[in-house]
Every structure is written in C-alpha cells, then in structure tokens.
Amino acid sequence: MYQEKPLPELLEYSRKIKEADGVLIVTPEYNGGYPASLKNAIDVLYPEWQRKPVAISTCSDGNFGGSQVITSIQFVLWKMHALTVPAMFPNPNVDNAYDDQGNPADKVGTEKRALYFLKELLWYMEAKCRMEDQV
C-alpha cells in the first residue's frame, strides 16, 4: 500500500489479504465490468496481491453470467502479479438461478460446478504454500 497515513481499517484490510492463503472474489457484472468499489479495493493494495491465489465468481441477470467481468478483473490482478485461478464460477440469469434464500434452482449442477471451482482454488493455495516452503 502506498498511502502515507492509511486509516486503521485499511491497515486491517491489508493485513487480512497479506495473511490469507487465497482470496475468493465474488462480484456482479456492472455494465460489462465490476463495481468501482471493487476496483478501488484491489488497487489500494499492491504487494499484498503478488503471488496470491485469487479465484473469481461472477453473476449477472444475463445469459453469460458475468463473463466480461472475469476477463477485466483477471487482467488487473494479473498485472499485479496475483495467481488468478483459471477455473471460474459464473452465475448467469441469477434472478432465476437462486431463490430468495440463496438456494440454487439446479442444486446438483450448481454444487458440482462450485466444488470444481473451489478445488481449483485450494490446489493453487496448496501449490503456493509448497513453493514457499522450498524457497
């Protein structure tokens, strides 16, 4: 972080990202991109993201489930030297895909996709930990 006098909340956020074995970002698609608040949350840090495994899940009310978000946020994280997980978890037509309590309409299919996605994040986290032990 490059702020001269960061707020305590920012220092806490920085510490949490730095200490995390991996990060899962869940974001809606917003006009083909992600919200400015998420962009700011990413950009306010830099060394904290380096070699950090990051997985991205998106949602939108359209048919593509936020696929435009994934490419733009992956590029930003890649430029910051994060280890973006290739597996993605887009959620298209989110209004119909989940009920008001967050239960998926296609429970089996959603859980299968989520399990694969989370296993990939865990693999990257484990791989990074193993590499750190060898350096």
Side-chain angles (χ1 to χ4, degrees):
M1 146 181 24
Y2 297 110
Q3 293 186 2
E4 287 185 26
K5 296 179 183 179
L7 295 173
E9 295 85 359
L10 182 55
L11 293 172
E12 177 67 9
Y13 169 59
S14 170
R15 182 192 64 75
K16 286 181 178 182
I17 296 297
K18 193 179 305 180
E19 291 178 1
D21 290 331
V23 175
L24 171 60
I25 294 175
V26 180
T27 184
E29 182 177 76
Y30 182 76
N31 293 331
Y34 51 99
S37 55
L38 178 55
K39 176 74 167 132
N40 187 51
I42 292 170
D43 286 349
V44 73
L45 305 179
Y46 185 77
E48 295 86 346
W49 293 114
Q50 293 182 6
R51 295 188 176 153
K52 181 70 62 183
V54 180
I56 305 162
S57 178
T58 59
C59 64
S60 79
D61 60 358
N63 293 329
F64 299 108
S67 58
Q68 293 175 349
V69 171
I70 291 171
T71 57
S72 60
I73 197 169
Q74 270 185 326
F75 183 76
V76 169
L77 290 165
W78 172 73
K79 293 290 285 180
M80 299 176 95
H81 303 252
L83 300 173
T84 57
V85 176
M88 296 168 240
F89 191 63
N91 290 279
N93 304 308
V94 74
D95 289 347
N96 300 321
Y98 297 90
D99 66 19
D100 292 340
Q101 288 74 44
N103 300 306
D106 176 11
K107 183 174 172 52
V108 173
T110 301
E111 287 180 355
K112 182 179 177 182
R113 290 185 318 112
L115 182 61
Y116 173 77
F117 173 70
L118 293 173
K119 280 183 177 180
E120 286 294 293
L121 174 58
L122 292 171
W123 188 93
Y124 271 72
M125 290 165 56
E126 175 69 19
K128 181 184 182 252
C129 286
R130 287 185 185 194
M131 289 305 298
E132 285 178 339
D133 291 343
Q134 304 219 0
V135 177

